């Protein structure tokens, strides 16, 4: 991984963090989607890249969220709870925020909670 790639990844993470910190949650989805745009310089074909994106989304985001949900609900029945997850797990129809709200939980994102700087 070259220095330019490392700098770009750091800039991308900073953009996501700033969008979250400022409460611009709709931007986070767009920023994550930008990471999954077709890359003509990749050694993978477009079809292969699409399969990787589908696998990542379904197996690493959606499946994990659905797996965590019962455990989170169980914990929340005992006490008010803060869960810290990556931003990819928060947004969209199968994001943790939406899944919990569908089950009538009150979810309050804490964009000003500084965990790292």
């Amino acid at each position: 991984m070259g220095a330019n790639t490392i700098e770009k990844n750091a800039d991308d993470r900073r953009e996501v963090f700033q969008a979250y910190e400022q409460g611009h949650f709709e931007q986070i989805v767009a920023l994550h989607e930008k990471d999954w745009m077709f890359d003509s310089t990749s050694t993978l074909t477009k079809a292969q890249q699409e399969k990787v994106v589908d696998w990542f989304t379904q197996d690493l985001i959606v499946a994990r969220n659905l797996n965590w949900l019962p455990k989170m609900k169980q914990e929340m029945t005992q006490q008010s709870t803060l869960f810290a997850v990556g931003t990819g797990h928060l947004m969209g129809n199968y994001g943790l925020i939406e899944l919990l709200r569908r089950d009538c939980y009150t979810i309050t994102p804490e964009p000003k909670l500084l965990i790292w700087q």
Side-chain angles (χ1 to χ4, degrees):
M1 188 180 303
N4 289 341
T5 302
I6 292 170
E7 288 174 19
K8 181 189 176 312
N9 289 341
D11 289 342
D12 290 348
R13 282 192 307 275
R14 196 171 302 112
E15 276 186 86
V16 170
F17 176 73
Q18 288 172 344
Y20 183 80
E21 181 182 42
Q22 295 166 6
H24 297 259
F25 304 122
E26 69 287 346
Q27 288 180 359
I28 294 170
V29 174
L31 289 168
H32 282 297
E33 285 175 351
K34 184 176 79 172
D35 287 340
W36 297 109
M37 293 176 66
F38 174 66
D39 180 0
S40 62
T41 64
S42 174
T43 58
L44 299 177
T45 66
K46 184 173 183 174
Q48 289 170 323
Q49 289 180 50
E50 288 170 354
K51 285 182 182 181
V52 169
V53 169
D54 185 59
W55 165 78
F56 182 87
T57 303
Q58 294 306 313
D59 292 353
L60 294 183
I61 300 294
V62 173
R64 288 172 83 187
N65 287 353
L66 294 173
N67 184 49
W68 289 340
L69 207 55
K71 297 170 187 170
M72 293 171 81
K73 290 178 183 178
Q74 180 182 9
E75 184 67 28
M76 290 186 292
T77 63
Q78 298 171 20
Q79 60 193 350
S80 220
T81 308
L82 168 72
F83 295 99
V85 299
T87 56
H89 292 283
L90 297 175
M91 306 303 144
N93 292 332
Y94 288 94
L96 291 169
I97 292 172
E98 180 62 26
L99 291 171
L100 288 165
R101 285 181 176 163
R102 279 187 215 152
D103 287 340
C104 300
Y105 285 87
T106 300
I107 305 301
T108 307
E110 294 289 345
K112 295 297 180 187
L113 182 66
L114 296 179
I115 296 174
W116 77 89
Q117 293 184 7

